[in-house]
PDB file of all heavy atoms in Angstrom:
ATOM      1  N   ILE A  17     -44.427 -39.917-126.874  1.00  0.00           N
ATOM      2  CA  ILE A  17     -43.324 -40.820-126.578  1.00  0.00           C
ATOM      3  C   ILE A  17     -42.238 -40.675-127.675  1.00  0.00           C
ATOM      4  O   ILE A  17     -42.426 -41.125-128.813  1.00  0.00           O
ATOM      5  CB  ILE A  17     -43.809 -42.233-126.558  1.00  0.00           C
ATOM      6  CG1 ILE A  17     -45.014 -42.442-125.547  1.00  0.00           C
ATOM      7  CG2 ILE A  17     -42.702 -43.258-126.223  1.00  0.00           C
ATOM      8  CD1 ILE A  17     -44.677 -42.253-124.164  1.00  0.00           C
ATOM      9  N   LYS A  21     -34.284 -44.486-130.252  1.00  0.00           N
ATOM     10  CA  LYS A  21     -33.376 -45.640-130.613  1.00  0.00           C
ATOM     11  C   LYS A  21     -33.609 -45.973-131.991  1.00  0.00           C
ATOM     12  O   LYS A  21     -34.783 -45.831-132.549  1.00  0.00           O
ATOM     13  CB  LYS A  21     -33.643 -46.872-129.731  1.00  0.00           C
ATOM     14  CG  LYS A  21     -33.309 -46.644-128.248  1.00  0.00           C
ATOM     15  CD  LYS A  21     -33.843 -47.739-127.270  1.00  0.00           C
ATOM     16  CE  LYS A  21     -33.013 -48.976-127.578  1.00  0.00           C
ATOM     17  NZ  LYS A  21     -33.462 -50.033-126.680  1.00  0.00           N
ATOM     18  N   ARG A  23     -33.901 -48.977-133.066  1.00  0.00           N
ATOM     19  CA  ARG A  23     -34.830 -50.063-132.931  1.00  0.00           C
ATOM     20  C   ARG A  23     -35.635 -49.920-131.687  1.00  0.00           C
ATOM     21  O   ARG A  23     -35.065 -50.087-130.496  1.00  0.00           O
ATOM     22  CB  ARG A  23     -33.999 -51.443-132.856  1.00  0.00           C
ATOM     23  CG  ARG A  23     -34.900 -52.660-132.692  1.00  0.00           C
ATOM     24  CD  ARG A  23     -34.039 -54.010-132.690  1.00  0.00           C
ATOM     25  NE  ARG A  23     -34.909 -55.100-132.304  1.00  0.00           N
ATOM     26  CZ  ARG A  23     -35.668 -55.776-133.125  1.00  0.00           C
ATOM     27  NH1 ARG A  23     -35.734 -55.492-134.413  1.00  0.00           N
ATOM     28  NH2 ARG A  23     -36.379 -56.793-132.684  1.00  0.00           N
ATOM     29  N   PHE A  24     -36.917 -49.619-131.863  1.00  0.00           N
ATOM     30  CA  PHE A  24     -37.721 -49.296-130.750  1.00  0.00           C
ATOM     31  C   PHE A  24     -38.907 -50.355-130.772  1.00  0.00           C
ATOM     32  O   PHE A  24     -39.789 -50.439-131.579  1.00  0.00           O
ATOM     33  CB  PHE A  24     -38.392 -47.945-131.102  1.00  0.00           C
ATOM     34  CG  PHE A  24     -39.157 -47.318-129.913  1.00  0.00           C
ATOM     35  CD1 PHE A  24     -38.561 -46.703-128.821  1.00  0.00           C
ATOM     36  CD2 PHE A  24     -40.585 -47.364-129.935  1.00  0.00           C
ATOM     37  CE1 PHE A  24     -39.311 -46.163-127.836  1.00  0.00           C
ATOM     38  CE2 PHE A  24     -41.247 -46.809-128.884  1.00  0.00           C
ATOM     39  CZ  PHE A  24     -40.670 -46.150-127.878  1.00  0.00           C
ATOM     40  N   GLN A  25     -38.860 -51.220-129.746  1.00  0.00           N
ATOM     41  CA  GLN A  25     -39.782 -52.375-129.593  1.00  0.00           C
ATOM     42  C   GLN A  25     -40.939 -52.024-128.691  1.00  0.00           C
ATOM     43  O   GLN A  25     -40.791 -51.435-127.598  1.00  0.00           O
ATOM     44  CB  GLN A  25     -39.072 -53.568-129.129  1.00  0.00           C
ATOM     45  CG  GLN A  25     -39.870 -54.896-129.156  1.00  0.00           C
ATOM     46  CD  GLN A  25     -38.922 -56.100-129.046  1.00  0.00           C
ATOM     47  OE1 GLN A  25     -37.947 -56.386-129.762  1.00  0.00           O
ATOM     48  NE2 GLN A  25     -39.301 -56.938-128.004  1.00  0.00           N
ATOM     49  N   ILE A  26     -42.192 -52.561-129.137  1.00  0.00           N
ATOM     50  CA  ILE A  26     -43.320 -52.285-128.376  1.00  0.00           C
ATOM     51  C   ILE A  26     -44.083 -53.625-127.961  1.00  0.00           C
ATOM     52  O   ILE A  26     -44.184 -54.477-128.783  1.00  0.00           O
ATOM     53  CB  ILE A  26     -44.325 -51.343-129.159  1.00  0.00           C
ATOM     54  CG1 ILE A  26     -43.629 -50.122-129.687  1.00  0.00           C
ATOM     55  CG2 ILE A  26     -45.595 -51.079-128.476  1.00  0.00           C
ATOM     56  CD1 ILE A  26     -44.500 -49.341-130.711  1.00  0.00           C
ATOM     57  N   GLY A  27     -44.587 -53.587-126.805  1.00  0.00           N
ATOM     58  CA  GLY A  27     -45.204 -54.874-126.417  1.00  0.00           C
ATOM     59  C   GLY A  27     -45.658 -54.816-124.949  1.00  0.00           C
ATOM     60  O   GLY A  27     -45.581 -53.796-124.328  1.00  0.00           O
ATOM     61  N   LYS A  28     -46.212 -55.972-124.414  1.00  0.00           N
ATOM     62  CA  LYS A  28     -46.811 -55.925-123.097  1.00  0.00           C
ATOM     63  C   LYS A  28     -45.769 -56.227-121.998  1.00  0.00           C
ATOM     64  O   LYS A  28     -45.924 -55.797-120.891  1.00  0.00           O
ATOM     65  CB  LYS A  28     -47.886 -56.959-123.109  1.00  0.00           C
ATOM     66  CG  LYS A  28     -48.688 -57.041-121.758  1.00  0.00           C
ATOM     67  CD  LYS A  28     -49.907 -57.951-121.948  1.00  0.00           C
ATOM     68  CE  LYS A  28     -51.076 -57.275-122.645  1.00  0.00           C
ATOM     69  NZ  LYS A  28     -52.302 -58.090-122.747  1.00  0.00           N
ATOM     70  N   LYS A  29     -44.696 -56.942-122.313  1.00  0.00           N
ATOM     71  CA  LYS A  29     -43.751 -57.258-121.283  1.00  0.00           C
ATOM     72  C   LYS A  29     -42.695 -56.097-121.030  1.00  0.00           C
ATOM     73  O   LYS A  29     -42.484 -55.202-121.814  1.00  0.00           O
ATOM     74  CB  LYS A  29     -42.861 -58.439-121.813  1.00  0.00           C
ATOM     75  CG  LYS A  29     -43.618 -59.814-121.664  1.00  0.00           C
ATOM     76  CD  LYS A  29     -43.737 -60.180-120.196  1.00  0.00           C
ATOM     77  CE  LYS A  29     -44.406 -61.473-120.048  1.00  0.00           C
ATOM     78  NZ  LYS A  29     -44.630 -61.781-118.635  1.00  0.00           N
ATOM     79  N   SER A  30     -42.199 -56.150-119.859  1.00  0.00           N
ATOM     80  CA  SER A  30     -41.444 -55.045-119.279  1.00  0.00           C
ATOM     81  C   SER A  30     -40.107 -54.712-120.065  1.00  0.00           C
ATOM     82  O   SER A  30     -39.503 -53.660-119.941  1.00  0.00           O
ATOM     83  CB  SER A  30     -41.061 -55.199-117.826  1.00  0.00           C
ATOM     84  OG  SER A  30     -40.385 -56.437-117.613  1.00  0.00           O
ATOM     85  N   HIS A  31     -39.588 -55.738-120.733  1.00  0.00           N
ATOM     86  CA  HIS A  31     -38.242 -55.485-121.415  1.00  0.00           C
ATOM     87  C   HIS A  31     -38.415 -54.680-122.764  1.00  0.00           C
ATOM     88  O   HIS A  31     -37.454 -54.271-123.307  1.00  0.00           O
ATOM     89  CB  HIS A  31     -37.648 -56.812-121.755  1.00  0.00           C
ATOM     90  CG  HIS A  31     -38.420 -57.701-122.759  1.00  0.00           C
ATOM     91  ND1 HIS A  31     -39.347 -58.620-122.307  1.00  0.00           N
ATOM     92  CD2 HIS A  31     -38.357 -57.673-124.099  1.00  0.00           C
ATOM     93  CE1 HIS A  31     -39.852 -59.188-123.363  1.00  0.00           C
ATOM     94  NE2 HIS A  31     -39.392 -58.592-124.456  1.00  0.00           N
ATOM     95  N   ASN A  32     -39.621 -54.385-123.211  1.00  0.00           N
ATOM     96  CA  ASN A  32     -39.877 -53.651-124.397  1.00  0.00           C
ATOM     97  C   ASN A  32     -39.528 -52.091-124.131  1.00  0.00           C
ATOM     98  O   ASN A  32     -39.548 -51.648-122.957  1.00  0.00           O
ATOM     99  CB  ASN A  32     -41.321 -53.705-124.847  1.00  0.00           C
ATOM    100  CG  ASN A  32     -41.626 -55.091-125.380  1.00  0.00           C
ATOM    101  OD1 ASN A  32     -41.323 -55.487-126.453  1.00  0.00           O
ATOM    102  ND2 ASN A  32     -42.369 -55.900-124.568  1.00  0.00           N
ATOM    103  N   ASP A  33     -39.239 -51.372-125.155  1.00  0.00           N
ATOM    104  CA  ASP A  33     -38.921 -49.988-125.011  1.00  0.00           C
ATOM    105  C   ASP A  33     -40.193 -49.185-124.685  1.00  0.00           C
ATOM    106  O   ASP A  33     -40.078 -48.177-124.071  1.00  0.00           O
ATOM    107  CB  ASP A  33     -38.290 -49.436-126.313  1.00  0.00           C
ATOM    108  CG  ASP A  33     -36.977 -50.173-126.686  1.00  0.00           C
ATOM    109  OD1 ASP A  33     -36.096 -50.040-125.809  1.00  0.00           O
ATOM    110  OD2 ASP A  33     -36.915 -50.745-127.724  1.00  0.00           O
ATOM    111  N   LEU A  34     -41.329 -49.679-125.276  1.00  0.00           N
ATOM    112  CA  LEU A  34     -42.564 -48.996-124.859  1.00  0.00           C
ATOM    113  C   LEU A  34     -43.473 -50.126-124.387  1.00  0.00           C
ATOM    114  O   LEU A  34     -43.817 -51.092-125.181  1.00  0.00           O
ATOM    115  CB  LEU A  34     -43.293 -48.331-126.111  1.00  0.00           C
ATOM    116  CG  LEU A  34     -44.640 -47.857-125.875  1.00  0.00           C
ATOM    117  CD1 LEU A  34     -44.596 -46.734-124.752  1.00  0.00           C
ATOM    118  CD2 LEU A  34     -45.110 -47.079-127.205  1.00  0.00           C
ATOM    119  N   VAL A  35     -43.882 -50.018-123.155  1.00  0.00           N
ATOM    120  CA  VAL A  35     -44.761 -51.090-122.553  1.00  0.00           C
ATOM    121  C   VAL A  35     -46.198 -50.619-122.518  1.00  0.00           C
ATOM    122  O   VAL A  35     -46.525 -49.601-122.004  1.00  0.00           O
ATOM    123  CB  VAL A  35     -44.275 -51.433-121.118  1.00  0.00           C
ATOM    124  CG1 VAL A  35     -45.185 -52.506-120.502  1.00  0.00           C
ATOM    125  CG2 VAL A  35     -42.850 -51.837-121.029  1.00  0.00           C
ATOM    126  N   LEU A  36     -47.082 -51.366-123.166  1.00  0.00           N
ATOM    127  CA  LEU A  36     -48.497 -51.141-123.347  1.00  0.00           C
ATOM    128  C   LEU A  36     -49.241 -52.285-122.792  1.00  0.00           C
ATOM    129  O   LEU A  36     -49.041 -53.412-123.106  1.00  0.00           O
ATOM    130  CB  LEU A  36     -48.827 -50.839-124.786  1.00  0.00           C
ATOM    131  CG  LEU A  36     -48.149 -49.726-125.507  1.00  0.00           C
ATOM    132  CD1 LEU A  36     -48.423 -49.706-126.929  1.00  0.00           C
ATOM    133  CD2 LEU A  36     -48.528 -48.320-124.845  1.00  0.00           C
ATOM    134  N   GLY A  37     -50.251 -51.942-121.860  1.00  0.00           N
ATOM    135  CA  GLY A  37     -51.025 -53.005-121.330  1.00  0.00           C
ATOM    136  C   GLY A  37     -52.492 -53.072-121.802  1.00  0.00           C
ATOM    137  O   GLY A  37     -53.281 -53.752-121.148  1.00  0.00           O
ATOM    138  N   ILE A  41     -52.900 -56.651-127.037  1.00  0.00           N
ATOM    139  CA  ILE A  41     -51.457 -56.393-127.329  1.00  0.00           C
ATOM    140  C   ILE A  41     -50.626 -57.560-126.836  1.00  0.00           C
ATOM    141  O   ILE A  41     -50.825 -58.083-125.689  1.00  0.00           O
ATOM    142  CB  ILE A  41     -50.948 -55.157-126.762  1.00  0.00           C
ATOM    143  CG1 ILE A  41     -51.716 -53.995-127.350  1.00  0.00           C
ATOM    144  CG2 ILE A  41     -49.463 -54.918-126.859  1.00  0.00           C
ATOM    145  CD1 ILE A  41     -51.353 -52.553-126.793  1.00  0.00           C
ATOM    146  N   SER A  42     -49.744 -58.089-127.753  1.00  0.00           N
ATOM    147  CA  SER A  42     -48.992 -59.195-127.360  1.00  0.00           C
ATOM    148  C   SER A  42     -47.791 -58.940-126.515  1.00  0.00           C
ATOM    149  O   SER A  42     -47.415 -57.646-126.367  1.00  0.00           O
ATOM    150  CB  SER A  42     -48.459 -59.952-128.705  1.00  0.00           C
ATOM    151  OG  SER A  42     -49.610 -60.435-129.404  1.00  0.00           O
ATOM    152  N   ARG A  43     -46.966 -59.883-126.006  1.00  0.00           N
ATOM    153  CA  ARG A  43     -45.837 -59.692-125.202  1.00  0.00           C
ATOM    154  C   ARG A  43     -44.787 -58.904-125.949  1.00  0.00           C
ATOM    155  O   ARG A  43     -44.172 -57.932-125.472  1.00  0.00           O
ATOM    156  CB  ARG A  43     -45.303 -60.977-124.756  1.00  0.00           C
ATOM    157  CG  ARG A  43     -46.171 -61.803-123.849  1.00  0.00           C
ATOM    158  CD  ARG A  43     -45.576 -63.052-123.478  1.00  0.00           C
ATOM    159  NE  ARG A  43     -46.405 -63.923-122.583  1.00  0.00           N
ATOM    160  CZ  ARG A  43     -46.086 -65.107-122.056  1.00  0.00           C
ATOM    161  NH1 ARG A  43     -44.874 -65.531-122.288  1.00  0.00           N
ATOM    162  NH2 ARG A  43     -46.889 -65.607-121.159  1.00  0.00           N
ATOM    163  N   GLU A  44     -44.527 -59.299-127.188  1.00  0.00           N
ATOM    164  CA  GLU A  44     -43.570 -58.492-128.076  1.00  0.00           C
ATOM    165  C   GLU A  44     -44.381 -58.334-129.403  1.00  0.00           C
ATOM    166  O   GLU A  44     -44.559 -59.244-130.209  1.00  0.00           O
ATOM    167  CB  GLU A  44     -42.255 -59.342-128.360  1.00  0.00           C
ATOM    168  CG  GLU A  44     -41.419 -59.538-127.167  1.00  0.00           C
ATOM    169  CD  GLU A  44     -40.185 -60.273-127.517  1.00  0.00           C
ATOM    170  OE1 GLU A  44     -40.097 -61.016-128.540  1.00  0.00           O
ATOM    171  OE2 GLU A  44     -39.194 -60.276-126.629  1.00  0.00           O
ATOM    172  N   HIS A  45     -44.997 -57.172-129.507  1.00  0.00           N
ATOM    173  CA  HIS A  45     -46.110 -56.954-130.460  1.00  0.00           C
ATOM    174  C   HIS A  45     -45.418 -56.503-131.883  1.00  0.00           C
ATOM    175  O   HIS A  45     -45.687 -57.115-132.926  1.00  0.00           O
ATOM    176  CB  HIS A  45     -46.970 -55.936-130.100  1.00  0.00           C
ATOM    177  CG  HIS A  45     -48.374 -56.051-130.863  1.00  0.00           C
ATOM    178  ND1 HIS A  45     -49.483 -56.522-130.275  1.00  0.00           N
ATOM    179  CD2 HIS A  45     -48.637 -55.659-132.035  1.00  0.00           C
ATOM    180  CE1 HIS A  45     -50.469 -56.383-131.165  1.00  0.00           C
ATOM    181  NE2 HIS A  45     -49.971 -55.976-132.236  1.00  0.00           N
ATOM    182  N   CYS A  46     -44.537 -55.508-131.789  1.00  0.00           N
ATOM    183  CA  CYS A  46     -44.023 -54.922-133.059  1.00  0.00           C
ATOM    184  C   CYS A  46     -42.767 -54.170-132.795  1.00  0.00           C
ATOM    185  O   CYS A  46     -42.440 -53.838-131.602  1.00  0.00           O
ATOM    186  CB  CYS A  46     -45.006 -54.066-133.741  1.00  0.00           C
ATOM    187  SG  CYS A  46     -45.454 -52.528-132.997  1.00  0.00           S
ATOM    188  N   VAL A  47     -42.037 -53.727-133.808  1.00  0.00           N
ATOM    189  CA  VAL A  47     -40.868 -53.007-133.581  1.00  0.00           C
ATOM    190  C   VAL A  47     -40.840 -51.942-134.712  1.00  0.00           C
ATOM    191  O   VAL A  47     -41.188 -52.084-135.842  1.00  0.00           O
ATOM    192  CB  VAL A  47     -39.507 -53.832-133.705  1.00  0.00           C
ATOM    193  CG1 VAL A  47     -39.359 -54.514-135.111  1.00  0.00           C
ATOM    194  CG2 VAL A  47     -38.290 -53.016-133.412  1.00  0.00           C
ATOM    195  N   ILE A  48     -40.464 -50.702-134.306  1.00  0.00           N
ATOM    196  CA  ILE A  48     -40.261 -49.627-135.204  1.00  0.00           C
ATOM    197  C   ILE A  48     -38.641 -49.394-135.369  1.00  0.00           C
ATOM    198  O   ILE A  48     -37.972 -49.369-134.303  1.00  0.00           O
ATOM    199  CB  ILE A  48     -40.909 -48.302-134.783  1.00  0.00           C
ATOM    200  CG1 ILE A  48     -42.372 -48.443-134.611  1.00  0.00           C
ATOM    201  CG2 ILE A  48     -40.448 -47.082-135.639  1.00  0.00           C
ATOM    202  CD1 ILE A  48     -43.073 -47.304-134.033  1.00  0.00           C
ATOM    203  N   LEU A  60     -44.178 -58.534-134.989  1.00  0.00           N
ATOM    204  CA  LEU A  60     -43.298 -59.626-134.352  1.00  0.00           C
ATOM    205  C   LEU A  60     -44.096 -60.801-134.128  1.00  0.00           C
ATOM    206  O   LEU A  60     -43.899 -61.495-133.103  1.00  0.00           O
ATOM    207  CB  LEU A  60     -42.691 -59.100-133.070  1.00  0.00           C
ATOM    208  CG  LEU A  60     -41.696 -57.863-133.230  1.00  0.00           C
ATOM    209  CD1 LEU A  60     -41.126 -57.429-131.879  1.00  0.00           C
ATOM    210  CD2 LEU A  60     -40.519 -58.320-134.223  1.00  0.00           C
ATOM    211  N   LEU A  86     -52.753 -51.172-132.372  1.00  0.00           N
ATOM    212  CA  LEU A  86     -52.194 -52.378-131.720  1.00  0.00           C
ATOM    213  C   LEU A  86     -53.319 -52.803-130.748  1.00  0.00           C
ATOM    214  O   LEU A  86     -53.564 -52.189-129.728  1.00  0.00           O
ATOM    215  CB  LEU A  86     -50.892 -52.082-130.926  1.00  0.00           C
ATOM    216  CG  LEU A  86     -49.806 -51.332-131.769  1.00  0.00           C
ATOM    217  CD1 LEU A  86     -48.628 -51.060-130.839  1.00  0.00           C
ATOM    218  CD2 LEU A  86     -49.360 -52.212-132.965  1.00  0.00           C
TER     219      LEU A  86
END
Side-chain angles (χ1 to χ4, degrees):
I17 306 293
K21 299 169 66 176
R23 178 181 169 84
F24 188 80
Q25 188 165 302
I26 303 171
K28 189 170 284 187
K29 282 294 183 179
S30 59
H31 64 267
N32 292 286
D33 299 301
L34 175 59
V35 179
L36 299 174
I41 294 179
S42 297
R43 296 179 179 183
E44 295 181 347
H45 201 107
C46 65
V47 62
I48 296 174
L60 296 176
L86 311 175

